[in-house]
Amino acid sequence: MPIDYSNIPSPCYILEEDLLRKNLRLIDSVQKESGCKIILALKGFSMYSAFPIVKEYLSGATASSLNEVKLINDFMGIPAHTYMPAYPEQEFQEIMERSSHITFNSFGQWERFKDRVENFKAAHPEHFLSCGIRVNPQYSEVTTDMYNPCVPGSRLGVTRDKLPDKLPEGIDGIHFHTLCENGSDTLERTLEALESRFADLLHQAKWLNMGGGHLMTREGYDVEKLKKLVSNIRVKYDLDVILEPGSAIAWRTGELYATVLDVLDSQGIEVAILDTSFAAHMPDTLEMPYKPAIRGAYQEAIPGKPTYRMGGMTCLAGDFIGDYSFDEPLGIGDKIIFEDMIHYTMVKTTTFNGVNLPSIGIWKAEQEFQLIRSYGYESFKDRLS
């Protein structure tokens, strides 16, 4: 049944439970048929009110900060897989206590903390803790430099020339993350590059974390190839394989519901100003960049049809996305629904200009809306001093 928006506040992120479960069922099938472990990456989807649903299908989650680690502990009830480009000295003890896996970004970081890891393991033999090193295979098909961890001068991961022929004692795993919403064909070529540089170390490792960017829930993704690639490398090197997708879990599972506040003519261009913001609430649309789909609208200007540039409500001049055509003219109070706005949105929002964050809700499987949270002045004030 279609969502009833009549009692939903605007703006609002709306997660659709049935769509989330559909994605998770597919992801679970990849786990079971390839023998890997797929875990939730909080950097893409941190909606902890949905973690009980996620936990029905996935047994782990990965964090890139102590705050994300705590969220995993508190709302999934499990230790975290943790990777940070650098670990703050004052946080490392708590990170060890709350993690099952810790990946180091450099050998300098490992050398700095390895004694503390060894001492912690000796003092807490009941606590499973495995450490790994992130590598840079120097191959990526990501075309946007902001999202490409293999650009020259990248701070993410160790290149082969900086690694010894033998994994240091205490390092059990190898981690790479060079994909961004890519297909399994890209993974295949990436694994070829990885093996060409790191095959000897893969034979020594106990686990391989392939990071995120595996968009297996996208229509047209070759899931069977993914299963085969994962299974083959797992058997070839006799190690556990871990994937930690960010987008795939929440891909096309909900929308951002917004309202038209004003319509104006700007030097011959019709502009619709909304009660949401691209810069504050959908920053990936400006960073990647990409043009979000609007339900019921044409994604490009159609001659002869009412056409509008979508404007956000902040005073940032570039807070807009355009242009869209509609079958009927827009007016104040009309509703705008941005599709696929659950992954990499809530996790990146800001209160720039004091603009309220969108509310968050779930359209339940029982076909009813559950408001999870709304924001106001206190949320804005708490981010400041």
Side-chain angles (χ1 to χ4, degrees):
M1 292 177 61
I3 293 177
D4 177 6
Y5 295 96
S6 59
N7 293 313
I8 298 178
S10 178
C12 185
Y13 296 112
I14 306 169
L15 172 71
E16 298 188 44
E17 180 182 343
D18 285 343
L19 297 179
L20 177 62
R21 288 187 180 276
K22 178 183 177 182
N23 282 355
L24 289 168
R25 285 192 293 268
L26 184 147
I27 292 169
D28 190 31
S29 73
V30 174
Q31 290 187 127
K32 291 174 178 175
E33 295 176 32
S34 70
C36 73
K37 183 176 184 180
I38 300 179
I39 61 179
L40 167 68
L42 264 66
K43 63 185 173 185
F45 182 63
S46 297
M47 188 175 172
Y48 57 86
S49 53
F51 283 5
I53 299 172
V54 174
K55 195 177 178 182
E56 292 179 32
Y57 303 87
L58 307 181
S59 60
T62 180
S64 295
S65 66
L66 179 56
N67 284 338
E68 287 187 345
V69 169
K70 290 180 177 180
L71 210 63
I72 291 168
N73 296 166
D74 291 347
F75 293 95
M76 291 192 77
I78 54 175
H81 291 240
T82 305
Y83 161 78
M84 295 173 63
Y87 290 97
E89 177 77 31
Q90 70 276 14
E91 294 181 357
F92 192 73
Q93 178 67 29
E94 190 170 4
I95 287 171
M96 286 192 294
E97 294 169 357
R98 292 175 173 272
S99 301
S100 61
H101 295 71
I102 295 177
T103 295
F104 293 89
N105 186 62
S106 70
F107 272 116
Q109 282 279 290
W110 166 244
E111 289 293 332
R112 180 180 180 187
F113 291 108
K114 68 177 182 179
D115 290 344
R116 291 180 62 175
V117 171
E118 292 171 3
N119 292 338
F120 177 81
K121 286 183 174 182
H124 303 277
E126 78 288 350
H127 182 104
F128 176 82
L129 180 62
S130 181
C131 293
I133 190 80
R134 177 167 177 170
V135 301
N136 177 356
Q138 296 174 270
Y139 180 87
S140 175
E141 297 182 16
V142 179
T143 57
T144 303
D145 283 354
M146 180 177 285
Y147 295 90
N148 185 350
C150 295
V151 295
S154 170
R155 72 193 194 285
L156 303 176
V158 184
T159 53
R160 187 62 182 90
D161 60 304
K162 299 296 191 299
L163 286 164
D165 292 334
K166 182 176 175 55
L167 286 178
E169 184 176 354
I171 293 292
D172 302 322
I174 292 175
H175 176 122
F176 75 90
H177 184 161
T178 64
L179 280 70
C180 179
E181 297 186 355
N182 292 125
S184 51
D185 54 337
T186 300
L187 174 62
E188 183 175 36
R189 293 185 288 271
T190 301
L191 289 175
E192 291 172 358
L194 180 79
E195 289 187 84
S196 71
R197 292 176 170 87
F198 299 97
D200 57 332
L201 300 182
L202 290 171
H203 281 296
Q204 301 170 36
K206 296 179 181 178
W207 51 266
L208 171 65
N209 187 323
M210 296 186 182
H214 314 275
L215 195 46
M216 63 193 79
T217 51
R218 179 176 58 193
E219 185 177 357
Y221 185 99
D222 191 342
V223 175
E224 294 307 313
K225 173 176 278 192
L226 173 65
K227 295 174 185 175
K228 183 177 179 180
L229 290 170
V230 169
S231 180
N232 286 349
I233 203 161
R234 181 178 60 81
V235 172
K236 181 177 181 178
Y237 295 101
D238 188 25
L239 41 65
D240 294 329
V241 174
I242 304 162
L243 279 68
E244 45 180 48
S247 296
I249 289 169
W251 181 259
R252 299 193 66 82
T253 58
E255 59 258 22
L256 175 57
Y257 169 65
T259 302
V260 176
L261 298 180
D262 195 13
V263 179
L264 56 93
D265 183 314
S266 177
Q267 303 174 74
I269 297 173
E270 290 292 307
V271 178
I273 299 180
L274 311 175
D275 63 351
T276 189
S277 164
F278 299 95
H281 304 155
M282 299 172 266
D284 266 9
T285 64
L286 304 181
E287 291 175 2
M288 181 60 83
Y290 75 94
K291 189 176 183 180
I294 294 177
R295 188 176 302 172
Y298 301 92
Q299 299 306 109
E300 304 295 337
I302 305 296
K305 290 187 176 292
T307 300
Y308 302 87
R309 182 161 297 171
M310 294 292 133
M313 65 182 303
T314 74
C315 65
L316 176 68
D319 189 5
F320 70 89
I321 293 286
D323 293 327
Y324 298 82
S325 290
F326 296 79
D327 289 325
E328 300 294 335
L330 291 181
I332 294 172
D334 284 349
K335 305 304 180 183
I336 299 294
I337 298 171
F338 292 98
E339 304 278 16
D340 195 22
M341 281 290 147
I342 301 301
H343 60 93
Y344 285 102
T345 48
M346 286 178 269
V347 294
K348 288 190 170 186
T349 55
T350 74
T351 56
F352 173 65
N353 263 179
V355 172
N356 271 343
L357 300 174
S359 299
I360 297 173
I362 299 178
W363 185 254
K364 304 289 289 182
E366 298 80 15
Q367 304 300 303
E368 60 184 27
F369 178 72
Q370 179 185 0
L371 179 64
I372 301 299
R373 188 170 181 186
S374 289
Y375 300 88
Y377 171 66
E378 293 299 323
S379 302
F380 167 63
K381 186 188 70 170
D382 285 348
R383 294 189 177 207
L384 305 173
S385 60

